[in-house]
Amino acid sequence: MGWGLGLIKYKLMTQLEVDISKLKPFIDDNAIAGLQEELNNAHRQLVGRTGKGNDFLGWVDLPVQLDEALVGRILSDAGKIRQMAEIFVVIGIGGSYLGSRAVVEALGNPFQFLPRESGYPQIVFAGENLSEDYHAHLLELLDRKDYAVAVISKSGTTTEPAIAFRLIRQHIETKYGKEEARKRIFAITDVSRGALKKLADAEGYSSYVIPDDVGGRYSVLTPVGLLPIAAAGFDIRSLLDGAIRMREIALSSATLQQNPCALYAAVRNILYRQGKLVEILVAFEPGLLYMIEWWKQLYGESEGKEHKGIFPAGVTFTSDLHSMGQYIQEGRRTLFETVVSVENPKNKLVVPNDPENLDGLNFLSGKRLTEINHKAELGTMMAHIDGGVPNIRITIPAINEYYLGQLIYFFEFACALSGYTLGVNPFDQPGVEAYKKNMFALLGKPCYEL
Ligand code: PA5
């Protein structure tokens, strides 16, 4: 295969790059080539639908199979939401909110506090926790603002969003009256099962279906993610186009030099087998914080089972260099880092010159913040490698819908390959039930006991 140094820089025509050159001190070329056969098998299982959990592979073809009529309906509902609402409340937990939050926060302006300013509603989230204060503050806001709500639950029975929806449904019906409230509620759930489905049918809410064969954490490219993202004013067609491009690449070959998903899955499994038990996803753009949260769910729920799996952690730098940086540099050597690097910002800002130069920063005058941020990224990577932390780098040219679509599909496909390489079913989550049983028993739900 002639890896040589050829494996070092891995450039894709799509412009999403996976760079494993900085793994050199930790992994040799033979180790990577040695994983090719395992990745061939994983790829065969995934594409041939013969692996574990193969009844949950609907996400693989989702970007190309989404019906144009469905996309049109989502865009039309997003338009109605924009007309009627300053706030769009998205109720859901886990895979039912993390994907939309990741995209909305990556693309949005964090200082756009006045929703009407942008012409789009502000997206807020509920039902992803059980905090009384959080939901009380939200209801106070909803007293003052026009709003609409999406209630999202695949099972239609998850406690946290169900409680939040009870609260918000009562609020919206009181505020607008039952009939108008119905027009402001959108339900996204299973085609036939669950309490939410029954309620949506009985009340006549505008409803969307989450396909049976798409699990929660793989559902961002269904209405689960697309409706909130479209309502926030972002281009869902471009998001899907990015995913389609990455899908073509991911499906076409299992060869590590040609398939970045396979390469990423391979190197993280090699590192895991070498005792690197924690992967830290790093971003130098704070807008990617929820992309990290989404990734943590995707990899944590997919791989953490049978007492196996890499623990997915996340940091945003340079902020966390002043907190977690110490541990990463000098703590236990069980870590590796995957940096999501962004080449180009949307805006331009240079460090101003100061004739007095009291802060001694005139050596930076005229430099763009991105140039400084990129040097911080490089310097951090060099320091961490010196400190014994292997580094993988995933670069996207910019944070926009198209490249986020690529990144999402890249991580999903790589996760499935990685899970199969690890030997687990990447599409179930049996461990998520344990806390629920105890909570229900403690709350006295009939038929539950400790
Ligand atoms: O990935 C998953 O399947 C889970 O994290 C779910 O998304 C989460 O538990 C919420 O489930 P539901 O959408 O059924 O309310």
Side-chain angles (χ1 to χ4, degrees):
M1 179 156 35
W3 280 102
L5 289 185
L7 70 91
I8 294 312
K9 187 118 190 193
Y10 195 96
K11 193 161 173 91
L12 285 172
M13 284 162 60
T14 57
Q15 297 170 348
L16 182 151
E17 275 184 22
V18 175
D19 179 0
I20 58 163
S21 61
K22 302 301 179 298
L23 292 179
K24 198 75 183 144
F26 307 96
I27 302 181
D28 67 29
D29 292 359
N30 291 336
I32 299 179
L35 257 259
Q36 181 63 68
E37 196 45 43
E38 289 185 55
L39 264 299
N40 289 346
N41 285 337
H43 196 268
R44 212 175 294 119
Q45 286 178 63
L46 186 56
V47 176
R49 297 174 181 256
T50 55
K52 292 178 183 168
N54 58 27
D55 42 350
F56 280 97
L57 293 179
W59 59 272
V60 174
D61 295 331
L62 205 52
V64 286
Q65 280 184 351
L66 263 196
D67 186 4
E68 187 49 38
L70 176 62
V71 175
R73 196 182 145 217
I74 291 172
L75 291 173
S76 153
D77 276 343
K80 288 183 201 155
I81 293 162
R82 276 203 292 283
Q83 292 294 317
M84 69 170 112
E86 294 164 276
I87 304 277
F88 188 44
V89 187
V90 176
I91 301 176
I93 195 165
S96 289
Y97 95 103
L98 281 165
S100 63
R101 188 160 191 175
V103 175
V104 166
E105 297 206 358
L107 295 173
N109 173 345
F111 302 107
Q112 216 146 40
F113 297 127
L114 297 170
R116 286 287 188 222
E117 207 177 84
S118 64
Y120 293 99
Q122 188 161 337
I123 312 296
V124 301
F125 296 88
E128 86 287 20
N129 65 68
L130 288 167
S131 163
E132 193 159 344
D133 285 341
Y134 181 94
H135 289 92
H137 290 316
L138 175 59
L139 292 176
E140 272 168 33
L141 175 74
L142 300 181
D143 282 342
R144 291 181 273 116
K145 302 284 184 186
D146 272 324
Y147 71 98
V149 55
V151 52
I152 307 176
S153 176
K154 174 150 193 216
S155 62
T157 56
T158 307
T159 311
E160 292 91 333
I163 291 175
F165 186 53
R166 249 195 200 209
L167 290 166
I168 289 170
R169 187 175 154 222
Q170 193 180 64
H171 186 277
I172 202 169
E173 287 178 355
T174 309
K175 179 163 175 156
Y176 294 102
K178 261 195 142 203
E179 202 171 319
E180 171 66 16
R182 277 192 202 110
K183 296 184 192 146
R184 290 173 177 265
I185 297 173
F186 299 81
I188 306 177
T189 188
D190 186 80
V191 67
S192 57
R193 285 166 297 155
L196 179 57
K197 174 67 186 161
K198 277 193 209 121
L199 186 63
D201 285 350
E203 295 291 332
Y205 301 147
S206 177
S207 298
Y208 290 90
V209 167
I210 308 173
D212 274 348
D213 55 358
V214 179
R217 59 190 175 275
Y218 291 84
S219 69
V220 54
L221 300 177
T222 72
V224 169
L226 296 178
L227 181 65
I229 293 167
F234 301 118
D235 183 352
I236 56 172
R237 288 189 207 276
S238 182
L239 188 78
L240 291 166
D241 283 347
I244 288 170
R245 178 69 189 117
M246 186 52 68
R247 178 182 169 276
E248 284 166 8
I249 293 162
L251 287 181
S252 63
S253 162
T255 306
L256 301 182
Q257 289 114 320
Q258 285 163 20
N259 185 335
C261 312
L263 183 66
Y264 175 55
V267 292
R268 59 197 303 284
N269 272 280
I270 295 170
L271 290 166
Y272 175 66
R273 290 172 196 178
Q274 290 179 1
K276 301 294 183 193
L277 304 180
V278 179
E279 178 176 10
I280 307 175
L281 196 71
V282 180
F284 281 74
E285 288 293 337
L288 294 179
L289 178 63
Y290 267 86
M291 191 53 78
I292 293 174
E293 293 302 310
W294 171 81
W295 171 89
K296 276 162 61 179
Q297 188 212 6
L298 181 62
Y299 280 76
E301 272 193 2
S302 298
E303 294 194 317
K305 50 197 70 161
E306 299 173 30
H307 297 171
K308 296 197 261 192
I310 297 168
F311 184 84
V315 290
T316 50
F317 288 162
T318 60
S319 348
D320 289 336
L321 284 173
H322 298 259
S323 57
M324 299 305 289
Q326 172 59 37
Y327 190 103
I328 297 170
Q329 190 68 46
E330 295 183 343
R332 292 204 63 187
R333 303 298 71 191
T334 51
L335 316 173
F336 67 99
E337 283 180 321
T338 299
V339 178
V340 177
S341 182
V342 181
E343 262 180 343
N344 299 299
K346 290 189 209 86
N347 299 286
K348 186 171 178 185
L349 215 50
V350 295
V351 177
N353 190 52
D354 178 356
E356 292 181 26
N357 196 27
L358 291 179
D359 56 10
L361 285 184
N362 270 358
F363 74 102
L364 296 176
S365 295
K367 286 198 194 300
R368 291 183 65 174
L369 262 67
T370 294
E371 187 183 344
I372 302 169
N373 205 15
H374 283 167
K375 290 290 182 284
E377 189 178 315
L378 187 59
T380 305
M381 179 176 70
M382 289 159 66
H384 289 178
I385 290 168
D386 286 346
V389 180
N391 184 286
I392 303 165
R393 190 153 169 261
I394 296 163
T395 305
I396 52 171
I399 299 180
N400 62 25
E401 290 88 336
Y402 184 75
Y403 292 118
L404 290 181
Q406 283 193 11
L407 192 62
I408 286 168
Y409 197 89
F410 165 81
F411 276 136
E412 288 180 345
F413 203 90
C415 184
L417 290 178
S418 184
Y420 281 157
T421 306
L422 185 68
V424 299
N425 175 356
F427 307 112
D428 67 359
Q429 55 284 327
V432 176
E433 295 309 310
Y435 94 93
K436 293 183 193 168
K437 286 184 192 139
N438 290 343
M439 178 176 77
F440 290 150
L442 291 165
L443 288 166
K445 184 171 178 175
C447 305
Y448 283 82
E449 53 190 44
L450 285 173

Coordinates of all heavy atoms in Angstrom, one line a residue, residues 16 35 67 93 106 154 232 298 323 334 364 424 436 438:
L16 N -12.9 18.9 3.5 CA -12.8 18.4 4.8 C -11.5 17.6 4.9 O -11.3 16.7 4.1 CB -14.0 17.6 5.3 CG -14.0 17.1 6.7 CD1 -15.4 17.0 7.3 CD2 -13.2 15.9 6.9
L35 N -4.7 -2.2 10.4 CA -6.2 -2.1 10.7 C -7.0 -2.1 9.4 O -8.3 -2.1 9.5 CB -6.4 -0.8 11.5 CG -6.6 -0.8 13.0 CD1 -8.1 -0.8 13.4 CD2 -6.0 -2.1 13.6
D67 N -37.4 13.2 1.1 CA -38.4 13.5 0.1 C -38.4 15.1 -0.1 O -38.4 15.8 0.9 CB -39.7 13.0 0.7 CG -40.8 13.1 -0.1 OD1 -40.6 13.5 -1.3 OD2 -41.9 12.8 0.4
I93 N -34.6 15.8 24.4 CA -33.4 15.5 25.2 C -32.5 14.5 24.4 O -33.0 13.8 23.5 CB -33.7 14.9 26.6 CG1 -32.5 14.8 27.5 CG2 -34.3 13.5 26.4 CD1 -32.9 14.6 29.0
A106 N -23.7 26.8 16.2 CA -22.4 27.0 15.3 C -22.7 28.1 14.3 O -21.7 28.8 14.0 CB -22.1 25.7 14.6
K154 N -38.6 10.6 20.0 CA -38.9 9.4 19.2 C -39.8 8.4 19.9 O -40.8 8.0 19.3 CB -37.5 8.8 18.8 CG -37.7 7.5 18.0 CD -36.7 7.2 17.1 CE -37.2 6.1 16.2 NZ -36.3 5.1 15.7
A232 N -34.6 28.6 12.5 CA -33.6 29.6 12.9 C -33.1 30.4 11.7 O -32.3 31.3 11.8 CB -32.5 28.9 13.6
L298 N -23.0 11.1 20.5 CA -22.9 10.1 19.4 C -21.9 9.0 19.8 O -22.2 7.8 19.7 CB -22.5 10.8 18.1 CG -22.3 10.0 16.9 CD1 -23.7 9.4 16.5 CD2 -21.8 10.9 15.7
S323 N -8.0 26.1 32.2 CA -8.6 25.2 33.2 C -8.1 23.8 33.0 O -7.3 23.2 33.7 CB -10.1 25.3 33.1 OG -10.6 25.0 31.9
T334 N -3.5 9.0 29.4 CA -4.5 8.1 28.8 C -5.3 8.9 27.8 O -6.4 8.4 27.4 CB -5.5 7.6 29.9 OG1 -5.9 8.7 30.7 CG2 -4.8 6.6 30.9
L364 N 1.6 42.4 17.7 CA 0.4 41.8 17.1 C -0.4 42.8 16.3 O -1.4 42.4 15.7 CB -0.5 41.2 18.2 CG 0.1 40.1 19.0 CD1 -0.8 39.6 20.1 CD2 0.5 38.9 18.1
V424 N -18.8 -3.7 19.2 CA -20.1 -3.4 19.8 C -21.2 -3.1 18.8 O -20.9 -2.8 17.7 CB -20.0 -2.3 20.9 CG1 -19.0 -2.6 22.0 CG2 -19.7 -1.0 20.2
K436 N -33.4 5.5 34.7 CA -34.9 5.7 34.7 C -35.6 4.8 35.6 O -36.6 5.2 36.3 CB -35.4 5.5 33.2 CG -34.9 6.5 32.2 CD -35.5 6.2 30.9 CE -34.7 7.0 29.8 NZ -35.1 6.5 28.4
N438 N -34.6 3.4 38.4 CA -34.5 3.9 39.8 C -35.3 5.2 40.0 O -36.0 5.3 41.0 CB -33.0 4.2 40.1 CG -32.2 3.0 40.2 OD1 -32.7 1.9 40.3 ND2 -30.9 3.1 40.1

